[in-house]
Every structure is written in structure tokens, then in C-alpha cells.
Amino acid sequence: FLPDSCCDCCSVSEKSFFFILLPGLQEVVVVIQSQRNSYHARRSEQRKEEILQQAAEEGKGRPVVVLLHELTEYEGDWSILPALPHLFATYGQLASWFIFVEEETRLRLAALLRVLHRYPEHEEWFLGRGLHDDGASIIHHYAFSEDPSSFTYPDPSAGWAVSKPLLKRLAVRLQHESLKSDFTIDLHHEIALYVWEEGNGPKLTAVPEFCSQMRDNCATSFTTFLPDCGEPVPKTDVFVAVKTCHKFHHDRVPVVRATWEKDAGFLEFYSDVSDSSIPTISLGVPNTERGHCGKTFAIMRRFLSGAVPRADWLLIVDDDTLVSLSRLRMLLRCYDSREAVSLGERYGYGLLHKGYSYTTGGGGMVLSRVAVSRLMSSGCSCHSDDAPDDMVIGRCFTSLGVPITHSPLFHQARPDDYSGKLISSQQAISFHKHWNVDPLAVYKHWLKDDLPRDEL
């Protein structure tokens, strides 16, 4: 794997020595960022088998392949940082490199070894395909807003890698200090910040062979964010609940009606007042400026009652959330509605200290009927009407052992708040907020699907 020029003057014994030093696959740990939901567990197990089969065919050693959701019993391991001390303690003696990939990331092991051979394993390395913000981003707390391109973070779909010396230092550091924020919002940006350590650690080294799309020299590539699991679930399998209030009846509600409402089988607007012109339904819960926990729990009670058509899935969104229901129905075909499923964009609170995960409300919360039933029968409730509904529900599900299932297609913020390189490769399901954007244009550009040819 060394260029010929490196060894033109080497003896045979010296060349052999160089090749002995080069790591094989047995020194590589591949961490698949798997999830506990049955669909994702199956997909990650399939990816693990593919990697091990490829390794057997290559004959260059056998990597360790770890399914992240099986590493420990702690669900918060998905945020990576809490898992690093355990990863190092378990595999640090034998491994030189730790590669983190999504369940839909494909590896070409021979190409991966060629990449790793370029970087001395005794040094600290943080490798990946670099993303950067295109402008000031609220989800990154406006970090580096004066020069967004100055800080890069790894594209999760392309995978990323750390050398053992870096992992060791991070593992030790994590055991002796707290994070600056209790919230995990954008995982890979926050990991890059933690690794960089305000200039005391390495920045991400861009590796052209870490790819989001397959090219000839790629060591990694990505298949899809929206898997094909068959025909979309019927419209009538999804009940849509839109949270609104009187002051937004004349600006936000018309946007919903002009864009994605027509794709819903069953949809109701829930407000603090009844308005027959829309219509809206008042659930007897006063409007709150934040939180909306009381309203959301009232929606879930109504969903289980005979007052609305029976459906397998409940989607709860804000009145300034834009949604592609057709893509959501495609995604839901992958999941078993007979399971307790909580699906959306996953955030975390206090995960370094055994906290909990939750589905962000602005991006849309998707719950199976079984999940809603388990939650409502558990006795879990709001401590106040204005408590944060998404966080309360997440804490409840954590106590019930119901995993929070993540999809990067749901978005708590606007398109401009994400790296254009990342979201341009997605088929997004939702975006949130009308602030400083034209919501009709956002829907048309990012979420509206053209009709199939036979429907034109």
C-alpha cells in the first residue's frame, strides 16, 4: 500500500517491516449507529453481516463490528460521547481505529484500509467528509457565524473515524468533566466541537474517499435516507393533529391549508377557541406561550377515544411545521404499528449523566397507537399545561422503556439552518418555523413531490 517511491531504496527486509507495521482490518472497530427499534435493529444486523462477509472475502483480517444499541443497556449511547469510555475500555487494547457509520452507510474495506494507512496511527486523527454551515445557525447556537466555513463537522452519512490516541484522550476527559450544554441537538456538530476543544484538539481532516455518493475511489458511500419498504401506508392510517391558537388562525393555518393539508386522510386543528370557519377544535386547555403539554396530552386522549376515526399512527405538529405526508407514509411502511414507536428528530437532555431522549415537537412527533396507549395508561402526565410537551413525552417513554427512534428527515428548524450539502441529498419530511422565510416557497422547493407520471 506504500507508493513505490517510498521504498525505492529499501531492502527486502525493510519493505517487509513496513508492511508488518501497516494495520489490518483486525485493528479496526466499526461502530454502526444502530437503533433499538426492530426495523433499525434488523437493518444494522444486515449491515454487520455484509461487512464481515466482505472482510472474509478480502482476507485482510476481521474487523470488530459493534451495533451501538447493543453496546450497553443505556439508550443514550446514541449520542456517542457517553459511549466512548466503554468503547475504549472494551476495544482500546487491540484496535487502532474506530469508524462510526450510519446503518445505511456502505463500506469498501480495502479502500478504507488504504485511507487509514495514510495517517500515522500513533497520532490523534479525526477523519471524515466535512460539512460546514452556510450561515448563522440556531441549531448550532450561531457558532462561527462570522465565518461559517471555518469550522467543519463530519457528514454522518459518509461515516467518520478517530484514531486510538484521540479516542483515549476523549474517554479520559469525559470521565472528569461535564459538557457545556445539557442538550444534544445536532450530534455530529457537537462531537466536532468537543474533539476540537477550542483549538486544543484536532479539527476534522477532510478525506475525499469518505463519500455520501459512490465513486470509484470511495471507502464509504450512502444508500438512502428514505428506504423503500413497499407501498406507502394508506392516508387513513395516519391521523394528523395540528396545534394552533386563535392569534395564528389567519396567518399560519392558511399556509397548512395551501400546502400539505390536502394530502391528509384525517386532520384536525386544535386551538384555544372553536372556529367553525376552519374548523378548529377547542380541547378545553388554555393557550400557553410555550410548552403546550396540556394540549398535547388532550390530543392523545382524543386520539384514543371514539371521537376521531381510528388510525394506526398519530402525527402531532405545530401550525408552523411544513410536512411531506407522502414521504412520511413511505417511511412508516418500514415500521410495525403493533410496536410502541416514537419517531421523529431525536434530541437528548443530560445524556452524559443518564438523562433521556425525546422527539422534537417542531419537526413533528409520530406515535404509533400502541405507544400512545402505553403512555396514557402509564399515569405519566404534565406537571403544568405549559411544560415542554416533547420533553415530557420523551421522559415518559424513557421510563417505560420505549425507544426514541430517529430519522434525519424531520427538522426542528428551517432549511437555511442546516448545511446545504447535507439536506440537498435528503428527501426531507418536515421543516419548522416561518421566521424570515416564505413558507410556501420552502414547501414547494423542499417538500412538494411531483405527481407520478401516470397521474399527470
Side-chain angles (χ1 to χ4, degrees):
F1 297 109
L2 290 172
D4 291 340
S5 59
C6 294
C7 287
D8 284 345
C9 300
C10 298
S11 67
V12 172
S13 62
E14 287 173 327
K15 289 182 180 181
S16 299
F17 178 70
F18 277 124
F19 278 96
I20 290 171
L21 288 179
L22 295 178
L25 288 173
Q26 70 277 3
E27 296 181 53
V28 175
V29 175
V30 179
V31 182
I32 300 176
Q33 294 173 235
S34 55
Q35 304 191 63
R36 295 182 190 276
N37 172 270
S38 65
Y39 166 72
H40 291 283
R42 288 194 305 272
R43 290 295 296 147
S44 57
E45 187 63 46
Q46 291 169 357
R47 186 68 68 236
K48 176 179 179 178
E49 292 173 2
E50 290 172 7
I51 292 171
L52 294 177
Q53 178 62 36
Q54 184 185 161
E57 294 170 358
E58 292 285 346
K60 297 172 183 174
R62 178 186 172 95
V64 174
V65 183
V66 177
L67 301 186
L68 190 58
H69 79 279
E70 294 181 349
L71 183 65
T72 71
E73 294 298 316
Y74 179 46
E75 200 223 339
D77 280 347
W78 68 264
S79 61
I80 307 296
L81 292 179
L84 295 186
H86 187 81
L87 273 173
F88 182 76
T90 306
Y91 304 107
Q93 292 301 314
L94 299 176
S96 299
W97 291 95
F98 292 77
I99 317 297
F100 295 83
V101 297
E102 300 285 328
E103 67 185 37
E104 298 295 339
T105 303
R106 299 295 181 100
L107 291 177
R108 294 172 63 186
L109 296 176
L112 178 63
L113 280 181
R114 289 195 292 271
V115 167
L116 298 181
H117 292 163
R118 296 205 300 263
Y119 303 95
E121 63 188 58
H122 62 277
E123 298 177 5
E124 292 190 356
W125 292 103
F126 180 34
L127 311 177
R129 177 179 187 256
L131 300 175
H132 63 76
D133 291 342
D134 301 317
S137 171
I138 188 172
I139 61 171
H140 298 153
H141 306 291
Y142 302 106
F144 308 99
S145 58
E146 293 183 359
D147 183 8
S149 64
S150 66
F151 185 78
T152 56
Y153 48 98
D155 180 346
S157 65
W160 49 282
V162 296
S163 60
K164 179 167 70 174
L166 176 57
L167 183 68
K168 178 180 180 180
R169 184 168 66 83
L170 296 176
V172 171
R173 184 177 160 210
L174 284 161
Q175 293 175 314
H176 294 94
E177 69 175 48
S178 298
L179 301 180
K180 291 185 177 180
S181 173
D182 289 328
F183 288 90
T184 300
I185 294 176
D186 190 351
L187 170 64
H188 294 89
H189 187 273
E190 289 155 22
I191 288 173
L193 280 176
Y194 193 79
V195 170
W196 179 59
E197 198 181 353
E198 297 182 343
N200 295 312
K203 281 189 174 184
L204 182 74
T205 296
V207 176
E209 294 89 348
F210 280 31
C211 310
S212 59
Q213 296 180 342
M214 177 54 71
R215 299 191 305 271
D216 288 343
N217 65 335
C218 287
T220 68
S221 61
F222 193 71
T223 52
T224 181
F225 288 102
L226 185 58
D228 183 0
C229 296
E231 289 295 316
V233 301
K235 288 184 178 182
T236 52
D237 280 358
V238 183
F239 186 89
V240 183
V242 182
K243 296 181 296 180
T244 187
C245 63
H246 184 257
K247 67 178 179 179
F248 295 131
H249 285 190
H250 300 294
D251 53 1
R252 294 184 181 178
V253 169
V255 172
V256 176
R257 307 204 73 173
T259 54
W260 58 272
E261 181 193 25
K262 61 184 179 298
D263 295 325
F266 304 125
L267 182 147
E268 289 186 339
F269 292 93
Y270 297 103
S271 183
D272 50 340
V273 297
S274 296
D275 184 341
S276 59
S277 68
I278 294 175
T280 64
I281 296 170
S282 172
L283 297 171
V285 179
N287 187 54
T288 55
E289 290 299 318
R290 58 185 181 87
H292 313 298
C293 193
K295 180 183 288 185
T296 299
F297 270 70
I299 288 170
M300 291 189 290
R301 285 192 292 269
R302 180 174 172 85
F303 175 72
L304 295 177
S305 74
V308 299
R310 184 180 178 88
D312 291 337
W313 299 96
L314 171 63
L315 168 63
I316 304 176
V317 296
D318 294 342
D319 53 10
D320 58 348
T321 303
L322 299 166
V323 183
S324 170
L325 288 177
S326 60
R327 296 175 191 171
L328 174 61
R329 289 168 44 225
M330 288 178 62
L331 182 63
L332 287 179
R333 177 56 70 192
C334 298
Y335 298 96
D336 188 346
S337 62
R338 297 168 297 181
E339 293 181 15
V341 179
S342 174
L343 172 67
E345 183 179 28
R346 180 177 52 192
Y347 281 9
Y349 179 77
L351 294 182
L352 204 59
H353 304 288
K354 304 302 179 184
Y356 60 91
S357 307
Y358 60 98
T359 299
T360 61
M365 297 182 286
V366 182
L367 304 171
S368 65
R369 175 172 287 274
V370 173
V372 177
S373 180
R374 283 190 61 181
L375 177 62
M376 301 310 291
S377 63
S378 70
C380 213
S381 61
C382 309
H383 57 79
S384 64
D385 283 344
D386 67 349
D389 52 354
D390 49 6
M391 296 182 71
V392 170
I393 291 172
R395 190 176 68 239
C396 292
F397 279 141
T398 297
S399 68
L400 293 171
V402 175
I404 304 300
T405 302
H406 175 68
S407 169
L409 303 181
F410 295 79
H411 300 89
Q412 174 71 12
R414 308 162 305 160
D416 289 349
D417 293 312
Y418 300 88
S419 167
K421 286 172 65 176
L422 182 63
I423 62 170
S424 63
S425 65
Q426 299 178 348
Q427 290 177 283
I429 285 176
S430 70
F431 288 105
H432 181 225
K433 294 292 186 187
H434 294 177
W435 179 68
N436 274 1
V437 297
D438 177 352
L440 297 177
V442 169
Y443 176 78
K444 182 178 180 180
H445 181 76
W446 293 103
L447 298 169
K448 187 177 186 299
D449 289 316
D450 293 329
L451 289 173
R453 183 174 299 276
D454 59 358
E455 294 183 26
L456 292 175

